[in-house]
Amino acid sequence: MNVNEELIRYVEREILPRYDAFDRAHRRDHALTVIAASLRLARYYEVNPDMVYAVAAYHDTGLREGRERHHEASARIVRGDRNLRRWFTEAEVATIAEAAEDHRASSGRPPRTIYGRIVAEADRVRSEERRVGKECRSRRSP
């Protein structure tokens, strides 16, 4: 899937560095992994790859306000980023924000859009991989 190069450059310059300040499980490598997994999943659906990329890139940016309600903060960050209007309509920005809010597996409700479902699944798989890796490492420790 092709993603707009200007959007990628903007995210790499302005959004991904935010992850560097988060906990080890949510650093830049996590965001990049969720982006890649989301774009792989998106190939099976008729979706806008730029929107998938944006949701995945922004999904945990709200961690700067704490873990508990980070999904809601991520949605606010999307809505507040005026630069996104260079690539997306207001309706698309609203969908991206909604999907970023819906990505959290523990929210108790399913994502409202295919974009939220794609990123939630990509994030869930990544979380499972981390959990299994952690268990394996702890079993090797004396």
Side-chain angles (χ1 to χ4, degrees):
M1 297 193 98
N2 294 327
V3 176
N4 181 298
E5 289 295 324
E6 285 183 37
L7 175 61
I8 291 171
R9 282 192 296 278
Y10 173 72
V11 165
E12 288 176 347
R13 188 180 64 250
E14 301 295 331
I15 305 307
L16 293 179
R18 299 177 189 190
Y19 285 84
D20 296 341
F22 299 154
D23 65 276
R24 256 182 25 195
H26 294 94
R27 296 248 168 93
R28 190 185 303 224
D29 65 321
H30 167 72
L32 291 169
T33 300
V34 172
I35 289 168
S38 295
L39 290 172
R40 279 194 305 275
L41 286 170
R43 290 189 306 225
Y44 298 99
Y45 303 96
E46 289 186 30
V47 293
N48 178 330
D50 292 346
M51 289 176 64
V52 171
Y53 179 84
V55 175
Y58 282 79
H59 83 282
D60 277 338
T61 55
L63 285 168
R64 73 180 189 188
E65 296 182 22
R67 179 116 180 93
E68 188 59 33
R69 305 196 74 73
H70 81 278
H71 54 297
E72 294 169 0
S74 295
R76 281 193 305 277
I77 291 166
V78 168
R79 286 186 198 97
D81 190 340
R82 302 304 304 165
N83 288 301
L84 288 175
R85 278 69 177 176
R86 293 167 46 195
W87 303 285
F88 304 108
T89 66
E90 285 299 324
E92 290 170 330
V93 170
T95 299
I96 293 165
E98 191 173 87
E101 183 175 345
D102 289 349
H103 86 275
R104 191 170 186 186
S106 62
S107 71
R109 62 178 166 76
R112 293 168 276 186
T113 67
I114 188 63
Y115 295 97
R117 288 192 293 277
I118 288 169
V119 174
E121 182 64 18
D123 193 35
R124 185 188 65 75
V125 168
R126 178 69 175 127
S127 295
E128 272 302 301
E129 289 171 353
R130 278 195 315 268
R131 185 188 61 73
V132 169
K134 192 179 205 180
E135 286 177 9
C136 290
R137 284 189 300 278
S138 69
R139 288 184 186 157
R140 286 188 291 211
S141 300

